Amino acid sequence: MTNLQPTYLLELEHVTKRFGEHLVVDDLSMQVANGEIVALLGRTGAGKSTVMSLLMGAISCDSGSVRVAGFDPSRDHDTLRGKMAVSFQTDRLLPWRTARENVELGMLILKRPKKEARAKAVEWLARVKLVDADDKYVHELSGGMRQRVSLARALAVDPELVLLDESFSQLDHATSKVLRRDFSQVVREFRKTCVFVTHRIEDAMDIADRVYVLVEPAKICLELKITPEDRLDESRKQVIYDQIADAIGGNDEA
Ligand SMILES: Nc1ncnc2c1ncn2[C@@H]1O[C@H](COP(=O)(O)OP(=O)(O)O)[C@@H](O)[C@H]1O
Ligand SMILES: [Mg+2]
């Protein structure tokens, strides 16, 4: 019997994208299985955000194919509605809404009942460990708290795929580390699939099951797995760190 289920939740095959004459994605192929957390790591200008836009269907590729759950995100908007959620470096929260109201918004847009949206918003804010701040407005929240709200908003719609673009990298290292830990715990607990973009090696080291290192123009120069055992072993971590730093051509703060 033929298995009609796609093997991968997300699949890019020989994807090319130009902006005018400028080649930004060059023959990129990658796959992400259900439940995986995958990092796209590379320097500024490598083309990471462009790959995200392709995954979201905000832009379409010039050649090759992009599939999410077997569908083309640039065409099958209706089918994929609510199946993908995104969160960005800048939190994109609405200042005139409270933390809870911002989380509700994603669900209200998807026409979920108001009562359900409220209950889920409260639930997810607790899961991403935002404490005593549901009724605070955006200006009353720190950067880390805002990112928690943004992540709760993404997760609360119960998407199959969560896309993050530099969600941790605007924060100071300590805040970022705690947020990464809390986020990856909740993503694993709820078996979400996540693709996240970062230019910081430690983001990837901390939470990714697999890392694609991209160099301009969005070409994979290294792909590697990171296991929980790797994370517990300082010398193994260092070897992986050095391997990635080598591939992107220097450390991650450059
Ligand atoms: N809409 C666009 N029009 C023209 N050039 C773009 C556009 N979006 C991105 N680029 C260019 O594509 C390259 C990759 O950008 P981007 O995907 O944002 O990289 P990254 O997220 O890795 O920093 C950059 O040179 C950028 O200037
Ligand atoms: Mg970017």
Side-chain angles (χ1 to χ4, degrees):
M1 213 170 81
T2 355
N3 181 7
L4 294 177
Q5 288 290 319
T7 323
Y8 298 107
L9 180 59
L10 192 156
E11 195 161 22
L12 268 69
E13 278 184 328
H14 303 293
V15 170
T16 300
K17 178 69 187 173
R18 284 170 201 276
F19 290 114
E21 293 295 296
H22 185 178
L23 180 66
V24 179
V25 180
D26 184 15
D27 196 27
L28 180 69
S29 297
M30 55 178 257
Q31 303 82 27
V32 176
N34 258 303
E36 263 193 311
I37 301 182
V38 171
L40 304 183
L41 177 74
R43 288 170 178 269
T44 304
K48 306 181 297 295
S49 294
T50 304
V51 174
M52 281 305 202
S53 300
L54 288 163
L55 298 179
M56 283 184 256
I59 56 174
S60 51
C61 55
D62 299 333
S63 60
S65 83
V66 179
R67 290 287 176 272
V68 174
F71 297 95
D72 177 348
S74 72
R75 289 165 171 268
D76 305 319
H77 297 283
D78 289 344
T79 322
L80 289 173
R81 238 172 110 78
K83 292 200 167 68
M84 279 192 271
V86 293
S87 180
F88 300 92
Q89 173 168 21
T90 48
D91 49 61
R92 302 196 187 185
L93 302 175
L94 299 177
W96 57 88
R97 299 179 77 107
T98 63
R100 196 196 64 237
E101 288 166 348
N102 267 286
V103 178
E104 285 170 7
L105 191 62
M107 291 175 279
L108 296 176
I109 290 169
L110 291 169
K111 308 230 168 14
R112 308 262 167 87
K114 244 184 130 107
K115 238 178 140 172
E116 179 195 318
R118 169 153 305 197
K120 285 222 179 300
V122 171
E123 214 174 285
W124 279 99
L125 283 168
R127 284 181 186 146
V128 299
K129 303 203 172 128
L130 190 83
V131 180
D132 293 334
D134 288 17
D135 294 318
K136 287 202 159 60
Y137 286 91
V138 176
H139 71 269
E140 300 175 277
L141 305 173
S142 68
M145 292 163 93
R146 289 179 196 191
Q147 281 299 348
R148 286 179 195 274
V149 177
S150 180
L151 294 171
R153 183 175 59 185
L155 291 162
V157 300
D158 196 22
E160 284 183 45
L161 176 63
V162 185
L163 302 173
L164 307 183
D165 195 339
E166 305 273 13
S167 288
F168 311 107
S169 34
Q170 197 82 312
L171 305 168
D172 64 78
H173 284 267
T175 307
S176 172
K177 192 164 189 68
V178 178
L179 186 60
R180 287 198 297 268
R181 188 198 58 204
D182 293 345
F183 175 76
S184 67
Q185 265 173 12
V186 79
V187 162
R188 289 187 201 285
E189 183 182 343
F190 290 87
R191 296 179 198 286
K192 299 290 176 202
T193 308
C194 176
V195 176
F196 74 102
V197 155
T198 183
H199 67 280
R200 276 192 190 168
I201 300 175
E202 60 169 295
D203 287 355
M205 293 289 311
D206 260 13
I207 62 177
D209 298 313
R210 215 146 50 77
V211 183
Y212 287 108
V213 180
L214 301 180
V215 287
E216 192 178 344
K219 246 186 149 16
I220 296 169
C221 66
L222 176 69
E223 184 203 338
L224 48 81
K225 283 186 189 234
I226 302 176
T227 64
E229 293 73 39
D230 292 332
R231 275 190 258 279
L232 291 172
D233 182 324
E234 283 307 319
S235 63
R236 272 157 79 169
K237 255 168 82 172
Q238 191 60 46
V239 170
I240 296 172
Y241 187 101
D242 291 345
Q243 221 181 334
I244 297 175
D246 237 27
I248 61 174
N251 72 42
D252 56 329
E253 294 306 331

